[in-house]
Amino acid sequence: MRRTAVRAAAGGEPQEALPATAVPASLPGAGSADAPGSGSASAFAAPGAATAPAPAPAPYRLQTEFPFELPRGYVDDAGTVHRDGVMRLATARDELVPLRDIRVQENPAYLSVVLLGRVITRLGSLPLVHDGVVENMFASDLAFLQDFYRQVNAEGHTRASVQCPHCSEPFEVELGGSRLGES
């Protein structure tokens, strides 16, 4: 896996990836530190000298899916309770498309039901999550999901890494609350 990252970085930045021995010896000052315009002795390596490539910067990974656990759980037609789920980050399209839904136009409160039906990607062992599933959730679970949606889409993640002042062990704390001042 590391080789793939190095190759990708080398393919994207060929000038930085070239070893110092790739400089043609025919260039003026290729092996001389006192040549005009050479800048410094380290500008060109001696022929055959091995130089280690700079490590590739770690790529930034954006978290787009967030696991959750419903307070009560969705009960399907067979009586199975589904509590564990995953919500993905919403796109602009996710927020715009429900506005054309006739149910939302007739009752704006229905917007959150349609929106949550689009961004919840998994709920328990259900094969598909849609607005009909969200519509039949308990009110406490719907309120939880609305708050969770706000946290991951508007406010970012809800955990912070901290260190214990006594033992210096690192751990995470949950900062999310449904109202200002609440934790």
Side-chain angles (χ1 to χ4, degrees):
M1 189 159 177
R2 184 178 172 143
R3 286 183 179 161
T4 306
V6 172
R7 281 188 198 129
E13 295 292 333
Q15 290 137 351
E16 293 177 345
L18 288 176
T21 57
V23 177
S26 62
L27 286 178
S32 168
D34 13 342
S38 66
S40 72
S42 64
F44 298 102
T51 57
Y60 176 72
R61 301 250 185 233
L62 176 66
Q63 183 178 359
T64 59
E65 292 190 322
F66 300 86
F68 63 84
E69 184 174 312
L70 294 175
R72 296 200 189 273
Y74 170 74
V75 181
D76 65 14
D77 294 334
T80 306
V81 179
H82 305 273
R83 293 186 71 195
D84 296 325
V86 175
M87 181 184 295
R88 66 172 172 80
L89 284 177
T91 63
R93 182 178 190 88
D94 290 323
E95 294 199 349
L96 293 171
V97 167
L99 297 175
R100 295 189 301 224
D101 191 303
I102 190 73
R103 298 168 296 180
V104 173
Q105 291 174 354
E106 291 175 357
N107 182 2
Y110 205 76
L111 174 64
S112 65
V113 172
V114 177
L115 184 56
L116 289 170
R118 292 179 61 91
V119 298
I120 297 172
T121 59
R122 186 182 62 77
L123 184 59
S125 60
L126 293 174
L128 180 66
V129 182
H130 50 81
D131 53 9
V133 171
V134 178
E135 188 177 43
N136 288 307
M137 288 183 174
F138 294 112
S140 58
D141 288 336
L142 179 62
F144 168 84
L145 289 170
Q146 289 169 331
D147 185 50
F148 190 68
Y149 176 89
R150 276 189 297 276
Q151 289 173 2
V152 301
N153 286 289
E155 302 164 10
H157 66 84
T158 62
R159 291 176 301 277
S161 295
V162 294
Q163 190 174 25
C164 176
H166 302 290
C167 68
S168 299
E169 278 294 311
F171 64 97
E172 288 188 342
V173 293
E174 182 70 34
L175 301 175
S178 60
R179 288 174 183 69
L180 288 175
E182 203 176 283
S183 59

